[in-house]
Amino acid sequence: YEAVVRNYSGTSFAERAGYEIMVTHFKRGQYEKALAAAPANAEGSLAADVLWMRAESERELGRLDLARGRYETLLQNHPRSPQAVPALLRLGEMARAAGRLQDAAGLFRRVADEYPKNEAVPEALKASALARIKTGDPEGALADWEALLACKTDMETAAEARLQMALVLVEMGKAREAMKNLDLLIEASPKSGQTARAQYWRGVLLSEQAKWVEAETALRASLSGAPDAQTSSLARLRLAVVLQRQDRMD
């Protein structure tokens, strides 16, 4: 490749060879060399790839402002490129790492709005929802979880979306709607890893309504579903309270 660039500098072959040199350095993690080898006037499908490698190299070298500018240029000049969605995700990740959660949520949501058929949409919607929760935007988070649920996702992802929707609704004081989502989760995904947590939250909501027998049933179902350690501890504590309320002190 270097011989082609050196001996046939005025040809299209030299441009392609320069690109391949950059790719080789980039794949080796030689980011300074990749940047030095970047073709000055890459055209067509190569242009977006060169911008992507430039951005990734600058990011890996800690030059975040330069990287951000490359990603933004890629999105502006090549919005239909296969690298556009990864660039949006990178910008979202960088905003999240910098604590700019509202900006991060907006960038992640753009993936779903502008590239609805891309396979990264579920991942982006989840990231957006989690960022919105941290910014105190439950309505926005709920919209993201609803959009994720509308995607054709696997059972586990759908179950997680249902559970997270229920938790947001609990935070919003909409216990009835939260219970409906928990019931739908258990009905649709009885073998999901989220089912034990869903049963725990059913127990919480039922105990808040003083429905002690139903709450006990839900909490025992949660514990029998082998939940994670935190959920197990919380379910046992809540179950103890429910049993106490029924005067079953032993």
Side-chain angles (χ1 to χ4, degrees):
Y1 291 135
E2 290 172 344
V4 171
V5 171
R6 183 172 58 251
N7 298 328
Y8 307 96
S9 58
T11 70
S12 61
F13 294 103
E15 179 184 319
R16 180 69 193 213
Y19 168 81
E20 295 295 347
I21 292 170
M22 184 183 189
V23 170
T24 302
H25 288 312
F26 181 76
K27 288 185 175 181
R28 286 177 170 175
Q30 299 170 331
Y31 300 113
E32 289 283 12
K33 289 184 177 181
L35 289 168
N41 299 304
E43 297 180 357
S45 61
L46 300 186
D49 288 345
V50 168
L51 272 171
W52 169 255
M53 287 187 286
R54 279 180 179 271
E56 287 286 275
S57 296
E58 299 286 13
R59 184 181 64 84
E60 290 286 351
L61 293 167
R63 304 166 188 167
L64 300 185
D65 288 340
L66 284 172
R68 189 177 299 109
R70 303 287 189 196
Y71 291 126
E72 290 170 350
T73 300
L74 194 163
L75 286 167
Q76 181 177 354
N77 296 347
H78 309 281
R80 295 296 105 190
S81 163
Q83 306 295 3
V85 168
L88 266 178
L89 292 173
R90 279 285 193 252
L91 286 170
E93 291 164 3
M94 291 169 69
R96 181 174 59 193
R100 296 183 289 108
L101 295 178
Q102 190 170 3
D103 291 342
L107 288 161
F108 289 131
R109 184 65 199 226
R110 278 180 63 187
V111 175
D113 293 341
E114 298 177 19
Y115 305 91
K117 296 182 179 180
N118 192 278
E119 61 182 11
V121 166
E123 172 194 348
L125 285 170
K126 179 179 177 179
S128 176
L130 293 174
R132 291 184 199 281
I133 288 170
K134 290 181 179 179
T135 63
D137 179 15
E139 292 86 356
L142 187 63
D144 287 333
W145 291 123
E146 288 174 339
L148 176 54
L149 199 59
C151 297
K152 293 182 179 180
T153 60
D154 59 274
M155 182 189 72
E156 196 63 30
T157 301
E160 182 181 7
R162 280 276 182 216
L163 178 64
Q164 294 297 336
M165 283 176 64
L167 297 181
V168 172
L169 289 164
V170 168
E171 183 182 341
M172 296 170 70
K174 298 181 178 181
R176 182 178 297 180
E177 292 180 43
M179 181 67 81
K180 180 180 178 181
N181 275 282
L182 294 171
D183 289 341
L184 286 170
L185 187 165
I186 293 166
E187 179 183 350
S189 312
K191 296 183 179 180
S192 164
Q194 305 294 337
T195 302
R197 292 185 66 200
Q199 288 286 19
Y200 164 72
W201 281 102
R202 287 186 75 253
V204 170
L205 294 174
L206 289 164
S207 63
E208 289 177 351
Q209 299 172 48
K211 295 181 178 179
W212 308 120
V213 175
E214 294 94 328
E216 179 186 350
T217 299
L219 291 166
R220 290 193 184 280
S222 175
L223 288 167
S224 68
D228 60 273
Q230 182 181 24
T231 302
S232 178
S233 296
L234 291 170
R236 286 197 181 280
L237 180 60
R238 179 72 62 163
L239 179 58
V241 173
V242 167
L243 292 168
Q244 184 181 28
R245 292 287 186 161
Q246 296 179 72
D247 200 28
R248 292 160 62 189
M249 304 306 290
D250 290 344

